[in-house]
Amino acid sequence: LPIVVIAAVLVVSVLLCTLVSRYLESGEDELEKLGVPKTYSSNVLAHGKIDAYLELKEKLHEEYAKDEEDDAAWMGVLPPQAKDALKFRLLQRAIGGMAALQKISADSGGFRKLFAKGVVTRTFWESIAEVEQELSQELTAVRREASCVEPRQDPQGIINEAYHWVLRCGAQLPPG
């Protein structure tokens, strides 16, 4: 009788180990079936607003500074109407960045807990860090552009303005 019990326990243990091993090997696929993606979406960035700013900047460069090198000094001396249009597009870009920062900040707290419990994978967790890095680079680019458009102003001002917009209005971008 004890040998039968030991054999049964051994068989159950082997079956259990096999099931756990198969689950761990296919864990990411199983999580995807439950709606958990393999990576955090980088779609939080407002790529449309970034592109709209860059297109307007290129158009203004062609119109007002065609002979200038790619030096950004030309942006600081644009006519008022053109400069205002560029500043507006840059503000939209900054608001998109700050809205993305707010979303990823809210998401990362919850995902940190899920990662600690093994619910989301290391790949997913690391993808959040990658998106945060991409967002940091975007906000740095916005500051750099702001310092070219208004060289006498603190470039952090547009980030602060975008932050307050997001607090008041959420992720809703101003039209335009």
Side-chain angles (χ1 to χ4, degrees):
L1 185 66
I3 289 184
V4 173
V5 172
I6 292 173
V9 168
L10 186 59
V11 168
V12 169
S13 296
V14 168
L15 286 174
L16 187 58
C17 286
T18 303
L19 287 174
V20 168
S21 175
R22 284 186 184 171
Y23 175 76
L24 291 176
E25 288 173 3
S26 66
E28 289 189 36
D29 294 334
E30 294 300 317
L31 288 174
E32 274 193 287
K33 288 178 186 175
L34 295 173
V36 179
K38 286 186 177 185
T39 59
Y40 187 79
S41 173
S42 64
N43 290 337
V44 294
L45 288 176
H47 293 287
K49 296 301 179 183
I50 295 168
D51 293 342
Y53 170 80
L54 294 173
E55 288 170 12
L56 179 60
K57 178 182 169 184
E58 184 177 323
K59 177 184 170 208
L60 293 175
H61 185 264
E62 284 292 314
E63 188 174 336
Y64 294 102
K66 191 174 188 173
D67 298 331
E68 299 285 325
E69 289 294 317
D70 200 23
D71 182 37
W74 65 271
M75 288 189 280
V77 294
L78 283 170
Q81 187 175 3
K83 185 185 272 195
D84 287 346
L86 192 61
K87 286 168 43 176
F88 180 72
R89 292 290 170 113
L90 187 58
L91 178 61
Q92 287 182 314
R93 182 176 169 180
I95 290 169
M98 293 308 295
L101 179 64
Q102 185 181 49
K103 178 177 180 2
I104 198 168
S105 293
D107 289 352
S108 67
F111 285 124
R112 181 180 302 111
K113 292 175 186 172
L114 293 174
F115 175 67
K117 294 181 179 191
V119 176
V120 295
T121 64
R122 176 169 299 285
T123 301
F124 184 87
W125 180 246
E126 289 171 351
S127 71
I128 292 174
E130 290 171 13
V131 172
E132 286 175 330
Q133 178 65 28
E134 188 178 337
L135 179 57
S136 174
Q137 291 170 351
E138 167 57 13
L139 294 174
T140 298
V142 167
R143 282 188 209 92
R144 188 173 43 253
E145 292 290 320
S147 70
C148 295
V149 176
E150 289 292 354
R152 294 187 185 108
Q153 292 182 5
D154 179 9
Q156 183 62 33
I158 194 167
I159 300 298
N160 294 340
E161 190 173 340
Y163 173 74
H164 290 296
W165 175 275
V166 170
L167 287 179
R168 283 190 315 272
C169 303
Q172 180 64 39
L173 296 169

